[in-house]
């Protein structure tokens, strides 16, 4: 009997200077900016940020600004959340903040796209968030900018739709800064090269609709632009 062999393309992100960064896992941080925690009905002084995941093949990297992001099925309310994405070149368990900074490979601009209607239903029923957060192409992301071992502590982060500003904040407003967020996640998982971390979104989240032009940026990291496509 012959053994069948499968060739499955592994998710990867283009690196700005050439090459590909293979994506291992995608960790996300919830409510890491106080203003956003409040707009979601939380109290940042009482609840620390928390974690959830997206599948590795949620990455969707547009080749150009006219690329059409596939609007997901089974929803009437998809929200944008602009976030700084950290890519790791190393890892470990229970990292110190110094070790966490050493583990940084580079950065990208990403959107934690969210089926907000399904998330509200999941929250109400005490169910997991996977259907809300982990759908296909739920992480539009820019090319990666290598900054090995370099912790970013400030810089504007923002998003506009059809030229109108929707989200604007500063990386300095993060409750857990970049090394702290890596260290915190490493209390629960053994981090490794290839892991991505979405570090949370500033206030101003809201819906995207087919035909709209989305542009997002992080100062000193880059820009992400695409058009929201029609659903199937
Ligand atoms: Mn988010």
């Amino acid at each position: 009997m012959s053994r069948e062999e499968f060739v499955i393309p592994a998710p990867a992100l283009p690196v700005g200077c050439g090459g590909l960064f293979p994506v291992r896992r995608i960790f996300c941080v919830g409510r890491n900016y106080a203003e956003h925690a409040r707009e979601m009905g939380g109290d940042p002084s009482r609840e620390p940020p928390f974690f959830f995941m997206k599948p590795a093949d949620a990455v969707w990297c547009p080749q150009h600004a006219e690329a059409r992001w596939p609007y997901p099925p089974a929803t009437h309310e998809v929200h944008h959340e602009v976030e700084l994405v950290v890519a790791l070149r190393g890892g470990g368990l229970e990292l110190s903040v110094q070790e966490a900074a050493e583990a940084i490979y580079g950065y990208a601009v990403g959107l934690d796209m969210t089926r907000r209607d399904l998330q509200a239903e999941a929250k109400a029923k005490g169910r997991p968030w996977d259907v809300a957060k982990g759908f296909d192409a739920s992480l539009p992301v820019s090319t990666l900018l290598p900054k090995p071992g370099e912790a970013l502590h400030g810089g504007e982060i923002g998003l506009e739709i059809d030229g109108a500003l929707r989200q604007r904040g500063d990386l300095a407003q993060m409750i857990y800064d970049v090394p702290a967020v890596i260290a915190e996640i490493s209390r629960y998982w053994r981090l490794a090269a290839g892991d991505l971390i979405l570090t949370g979104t500033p206030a101003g989240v809201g819906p995207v609709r087919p035909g709209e032009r989305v542009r997002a940026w992080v100062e000193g990291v880059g820009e992400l632009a695409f058009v929201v496509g029609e659903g199937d």
Side-chain angles (χ1 to χ4, degrees), residues 5 12-13 26 33 42 49 60 105 132 172 184 191 195 200 205:
E5 297 211 4
L13 280 186
I26 303 171
Y33 290 75
W60 181 82
Y105 169 73
E184 198 61 31
L191 292 171
D195 289 340
V205 301

Side-chain angles (χ1 to χ4, degrees), residues 81-163:
E81 297 189 356
V82 61
E83 310 204 2
L84 172 71
V85 179
V86 183
L88 299 188
R89 62 174 177 176
L93 197 62
E94 296 172 356
L95 300 174
S96 67
V97 288
Q98 290 79 10
E99 292 168 331
E102 265 307 299
I104 295 166
Y105 169 73
Y107 297 94
V109 183
L111 299 187
D112 170 16
M113 300 304 284
T114 304
R115 291 195 277 215
R116 196 70 79 197
D117 45 0
L118 299 191
Q119 187 193 33
E121 196 181 323
K123 282 180 181 173
K125 295 179 176 169
R127 289 180 180 165
W129 284 9
D130 304 55
V131 292
K133 292 288 198 177
F135 57 90
D136 299 333
S138 58
L139 176 52
V141 60
S142 70
T143 58
L144 268 176
L145 177 69
K147 282 185 181 283
E150 199 179 312
L152 289 185
H153 290 288
E156 188 182 85
I157 176 167
L159 178 139
E160 61 182 34
I161 294 182
D162 290 339

Side-chain angles (χ1 to χ4, degrees), residues 3 7 12 14-15 17 27 38 43-44 49 56 62 78 86 89-90 108 183 201 226:
R3 215 176 58 192
V7 178
V15 178
C17 54
F27 297 94
R38 283 190 279 270
D43 177 355
V78 177
V86 183
R89 62 174 177 176
T201 194
F226 60 90

